[in-house]
Amino acid sequence: MDVDQHMSRVPDYTAFPTVDQMRAELDELAAAHPDLVRLRRIGTSRLGEPLRVATIGAGRHNAVIIGGPHPNEPIGSLTVSSLLRQLIEDAALREDFGYRWHLIPCVDPDGARLNEGWYVRPGDRRAYAEHFYRPAEADQVEWTFPLTGEKYFFDRTMPETEALMRLMDEVEPDFVYSLHNGELQGAFYYLSKDEPALAARLAAIATAQGLPLHMGPPEVPSAVPIGPAAYRTPRGAELGAIYGIGGGSVDYADRFDALHLIAELPYWADPRIADETPTDQEYGETIRAALAAQRALITELAQSVSVVRAELTVRSPFRCALEDFLACHDEFISEWESFPGTDRPATVAEALGNRQLVHIMRLRYCGTYLRMLDAELGAGNQTPAIRAERARFGARFDEWFAEAEADATATPIPIRTLVAVQLGAALLAAEAAKRKP
């Protein structure tokens, strides 16, 4: 399939939409095209937000497109918007491609609202860190699907996850696409099936749009490559017990033998993340340095929390997320200590990737800690200890942000480029999924 024509029709964007703007757009499109778009409620978020899906198309295949599975990853909301509008406008795509599309712009609206402070400033890395929110691992929609194996059992599914499960049970999808993104890395993909030809095409549309491929360390050490910047999607059975989570949307998609795709795209591009030139550093040493720095971060934050813990009164989502990080992150990263084949020179991409991971963790969780303390101060809990730790870690945030900026040669990627790649990937993977018997 020639996806260039569809990618070229993606408009320019200057910001990510708020939850209210996403809802208003769905209402507008469904009202303007009642003969094409079916809009319906499939569930309710934990805080009472309606979860809705827009269905369009007349084919015998079914595609479920999931926007916002993590609330700090809103590219997918615009990908859903752009794809829905193209399906409305393009009869051939809507009727001849062979799909009924079930499009969800944001499956975690509660979390998305806590990121809206930076949605209007998408290229501002400081704004991103200051307004960052990501739930605790076991409170993430993407990672709370049921697992019922004998060795590990998880049934703490959330209302948002249950809504996705009901939708998949109803439509029995051939293709499921979970729209993700990262921060400062390269583009990479997860595929549920070993499809090297598709993986190569996915990589090609990213590089054609000027995105560097992620040739640094994999996101999880157990990731199995199936092509450049493409991996077999890890299942819950592999990760659940390690991370204390359930299955992913991929596990539920497996029930229908659906092709499952995840596209991970960065907000900022650093071309060095695609550079496989050897350096004079040993790869294992870059990993050990990153682990040591992350553990130092945990220790520093934990010591500060111990100073204020007895005085905390607000059970904010920021506090829950931070406490989860402090309790679990060391166990997560310990997997890297036995990563094989590290007694060789690190590539430029690998050395950079390990350094950037440290910067990301510092800014994410220092920002989360400051939001936790601000929630206390905003509630009137202005004890001397809370005020002192807020001032101290405000200055620490400034130091870490300056270090991250000094180590980066990154520029913001136009939102249009990111949406175009996600949309093109949707069409390529949907076409491949039609080959299922």
Side-chain angles (χ1 to χ4, degrees):
M1 180 182 188
D2 179 12
V3 300
D4 290 345
Q5 59 170 316
H6 299 289
M7 295 171 65
S8 67
R9 290 162 55 190
V10 172
D12 288 328
Y13 299 102
T14 59
F16 295 112
T18 66
V19 173
D20 289 339
Q21 288 169 337
M22 295 179 213
R23 180 185 299 121
E25 181 183 39
L26 284 186
D27 288 338
E28 174 192 343
L29 292 174
H33 306 279
D35 54 331
L36 299 179
V37 180
R38 180 191 177 199
L39 184 60
R40 61 198 172 97
R41 185 168 179 167
I42 56 171
T44 307
S45 77
R46 284 160 291 172
L47 295 183
E49 295 270 2
L51 303 173
R52 299 188 299 172
V53 62
T55 296
I56 185 170
R60 68 181 184 89
H61 299 283
N62 283 278
V64 172
I65 313 297
I66 306 167
H70 294 133
N72 63 304
E73 302 179 3
I75 296 171
S77 63
L78 291 175
T79 303
V80 165
S81 170
S82 186
L83 179 56
L84 178 57
R85 289 180 179 274
Q86 289 199 31
L87 287 163
I88 290 170
E89 297 164 2
D90 189 334
L93 182 64
R94 183 177 66 248
E95 298 172 6
D96 299 338
F97 189 53
Y99 270 91
R100 294 178 72 234
W101 299 86
H102 309 276
L103 304 159
I104 305 165
C106 180
V107 76
D108 185 3
D110 301 342
R113 289 190 182 278
L114 298 179
N115 281 274
E116 288 181 351
W118 70 266
Y119 281 7
V120 295
R121 291 180 283 170
D124 187 333
R125 194 177 181 190
R126 186 182 183 98
Y128 174 80
E130 289 177 334
H131 297 274
F132 172 88
Y133 170 70
R134 185 179 176 106
E137 295 288 335
D139 292 331
Q140 296 177 12
V141 179
E142 178 64 89
W143 285 114
T144 51
F145 287 81
L147 291 174
T148 56
E150 292 184 6
K151 293 184 179 179
Y152 182 74
F153 194 93
F154 185 97
D155 61 358
R156 300 188 302 278
T157 54
M158 303 193 310
E160 298 88 341
T161 312
E162 291 170 359
L164 291 176
M165 291 162 57
R166 286 192 298 270
L167 177 62
M168 283 194 251
D169 287 339
E170 174 193 337
V171 305
E172 299 183 354
D174 301 273
F175 172 49
V176 176
Y177 189 13
S178 190
L179 299 163
H180 290 250
N181 55 264
E183 296 169 23
L184 205 164
Q185 62 199 36
F188 66 100
Y189 302 91
Y190 289 110
L191 281 163
S192 62
K193 300 182 180 183
D194 190 4
E195 296 260 8
L198 174 58
R201 296 191 72 186
L202 293 171
I205 62 171
T207 55
Q209 291 289 318
L211 297 184
L213 295 181
H214 186 78
M215 304 308 293
E219 190 176 33
V220 294
S222 59
V224 177
I226 57 176
Y231 302 90
R232 184 184 65 80
T233 314
R235 289 350 191 237
E238 302 167 53
L239 301 179
I242 297 170
Y243 293 90
I245 56 176
S249 55
V250 64
D251 292 279
Y252 215 75
D254 283 344
R255 298 185 178 204
F256 311 99
D257 193 30
L259 176 64
H260 185 281
L261 171 66
I262 291 174
E264 295 273 10
L265 303 181
Y267 295 126
W268 298 275
D270 188 328
R272 295 175 296 171
I273 202 63
D275 188 345
E276 297 185 275
T277 305
T279 69
D280 58 2
Q281 294 178 278
E282 185 191 76
Y283 186 27
E285 180 53 38
T286 70
I287 292 174
R288 289 188 290 275
L291 296 179
Q294 290 177 75
R295 285 171 172 147
L297 170 64
I298 293 169
T299 298
E300 189 168 353
L301 285 171
Q303 288 174 345
S304 180
V305 170
S306 70
V307 172
V308 300
R309 178 174 286 113
E311 300 176 5
L312 299 177
T313 62
V314 179
R315 190 64 184 170
S316 68
F318 313 115
R319 180 178 173 184
C320 294
L322 181 71
E323 290 177 344
D324 180 73
F325 171 74
L326 296 178
C328 302
H329 190 68
D330 186 76
E331 182 178 353
F332 301 165
I333 62 177
S334 64
E335 284 188 278
W336 282 99
E337 290 175 325
S338 58
F339 192 66
T342 63
D343 56 345
R344 58 169 176 78
T347 65
V348 171
E350 289 166 341
L352 175 68
N354 278 315
R355 295 199 310 274
Q356 283 299 332
L357 181 59
V358 173
H359 296 315
I360 287 169
M361 291 296 105
R362 285 173 173 172
L363 295 179
R364 276 186 174 192
Y365 290 100
C366 186
T368 300
Y369 185 39
L370 294 178
R371 295 190 79 179
M372 184 195 93
L373 295 177
D374 287 342
E376 296 288 342
L377 296 172
N381 185 21
Q382 303 203 18
T383 69
I386 290 175
R387 286 187 285 110
E389 290 307 294
R390 177 60 177 84
R392 187 164 73 87
F393 267 84
R396 200 72 172 109
F397 180 92
D398 291 340
E399 293 174 12
W400 282 334
F401 182 76
E403 288 181 25
E405 288 292 278
D407 197 23
T409 57
T411 53
I413 301 167
I415 298 175
R416 184 207 165 276
T417 298
L418 300 172
V419 174
V421 172
Q422 278 197 342
L423 187 147
L427 298 177
L428 288 176
E431 183 179 50
K434 289 193 294 187
R435 296 196 297 266
K436 185 177 78 170

